[in-house]
C-alpha cells in the first residue's frame, strides 16, 4: 500500500446500514410508485404506513444503538407528564464509533424527512387531502426519530462534559491531597 494514500474507512455494520436505509427507501418508493400503478388508496395507505412504522422501529431500536450508540424512549410518569429517557454508550465507546456508519445514520434520517416534506407539498398543491394524511403519518414518524435522537445526542454530550468535569475535579483533589500528605 502506498503510504501517501489515505485509508478509506468501510462501514463497520453493513447489514444494519442496509436495513436502516431499506425501510426508508421502501416507504418512499412504494408511496411514489404506487400513485402510478395502484388505484386503491387503502392499500397505498396501509403499505406505506406499515413500511414507515417498520423504519421507525428499526431506527429507534436497532440502528440507533448500533450505528451511533444512542437510544431514546418516552414514558408517562405518575403525574401524567411525558418524560424523555436517553441512553448512550460511554465516552470511549462513542469515540470508537464508525464515522461512516454515523454519517449514514444522520444523513438518511434528515434526507427522508425532507423527502416526506416535499411529498406533503406536492399533495397540498394537488389538493389531495387523503394522500396528505399518508405523508403526515410518515413525516410524523420520521420527525419523532429526529427529535428523539437529537435530544439523545445533546444529552450524551452533556453527560460526557459532566463526567470530564468530575474526573478533572477528582484528579485535582487527589493531587492536592497527596501533595499535602507528603509534607
Amino acid at each position: 500500500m502506498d503510504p501517501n494514500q489515505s485509508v478509506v474507512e468501510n462501514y463497520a455494520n453493513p447489514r444494519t446500514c442496509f436495513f436502516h436505509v431499506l425501510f426508508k427507501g421502501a416507504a418512499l418508493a412504494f408511496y411514489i410508485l404506487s400513485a402510478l400503478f395502484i388505484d386503491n388508496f387503502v392499500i397505498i395507505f396501509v403499505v406505506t404506513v406499515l413500511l414507515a412504522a417498520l423504519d421507525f422501529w428499526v431506527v429507534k431500536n436497532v440502528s440507533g444503538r448500533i450505528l451511533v450508540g444512542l437510544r431514546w424512549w418516552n414514558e408517562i410518569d405518575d403525574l401524567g407528564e411525558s418524560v424523555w429517557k436517553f441512553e448512550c454508550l460511554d465516552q470511549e465507546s462513542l469515540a470508537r464509533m464508525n464515522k461512516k456508519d454515523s454519517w449514514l445514520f444522520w444523513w438518511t434520517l434528515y434526507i427522508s424527512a425532507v423527502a416526506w416534506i416535499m411529498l406533503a407539498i406536492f399533495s397540498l398543491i394537488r389538493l389531495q387531502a387523503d394522500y396528505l394524511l399518508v405523508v403526515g403519518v410518515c413525516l410524523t414518524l420520521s420527525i419523532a426519530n429526529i427529535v428523539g435522537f437529537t435530544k439523545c445526542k445533546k444529552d450524551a454530550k452533556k453527560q460526557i462534559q459532566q463526567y470530564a468535569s468530575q474526573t478533572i475535579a477528582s484528579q485535582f483533589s487527589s493531587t492536592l491531597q497527596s501533595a499535602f500528605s507528603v509534607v
Side-chain angles (χ1 to χ4, degrees), residues 58-122:
V58 166
V59 171
K60 185 177 172 300
N61 296 308
V62 180
S63 64
R65 282 179 161 181
I66 295 171
L67 300 180
V68 292
L70 302 172
R71 181 174 168 231
W72 67 271
W73 66 98
N74 192 296
E75 294 178 349
I76 305 300
D77 67 8
D78 296 336
L79 302 173
E81 301 282 326
S82 178
V83 179
W84 288 84
K85 301 283 186 169
F86 307 108
E87 281 183 1
C88 69
L89 295 176
D90 58 48
Q91 185 178 3
E92 291 175 22
S93 300
L94 283 173
R96 288 190 309 249
M97 296 302 289
N98 183 290
K99 303 273 187 274
K100 218 170 184 180
D101 287 356
S102 178
W103 181 88
L104 177 86
F105 177 85
W106 290 106
W107 275 97
T108 55
L109 206 60
Y110 290 116
I111 288 172
S112 64
V114 168
W116 286 117
I117 289 169
M118 289 176 16
L119 291 170
I121 292 168
F122 290 143

Side-chain angles (χ1 to χ4, degrees), residues 7 52 64 132 135:
V7 177
L132 188 59
V135 173

Side-chain angles (χ1 to χ4, degrees), residues 2-77:
D2 183 12
N4 294 333
Q5 286 181 327
S6 64
V7 177
V8 177
E9 185 178 29
N10 288 325
Y11 292 103
N13 302 287
R15 283 191 192 114
T16 306
C17 290
F18 173 76
F19 284 104
H20 178 75
V21 173
L22 175 71
F23 291 117
K24 285 176 187 11
L28 285 163
F30 183 82
Y31 176 78
I32 292 167
L33 296 174
S34 65
L36 302 173
F37 302 112
I38 300 174
D39 196 27
N40 188 334
F41 173 75
V42 174
I43 291 174
I44 294 170
F45 180 88
V46 170
V47 174
T48 304
V49 170
L50 179 66
L51 289 168
L54 286 169
D55 171 58
F56 176 82
W57 186 88
V58 166
V59 171
K60 185 177 172 300
N61 296 308
V62 180
S63 64
R65 282 179 161 181
I66 295 171
L67 300 180
V68 292
L70 302 172
R71 181 174 168 231
W72 67 271
W73 66 98
N74 192 296
E75 294 178 349
I76 305 300
D77 67 8

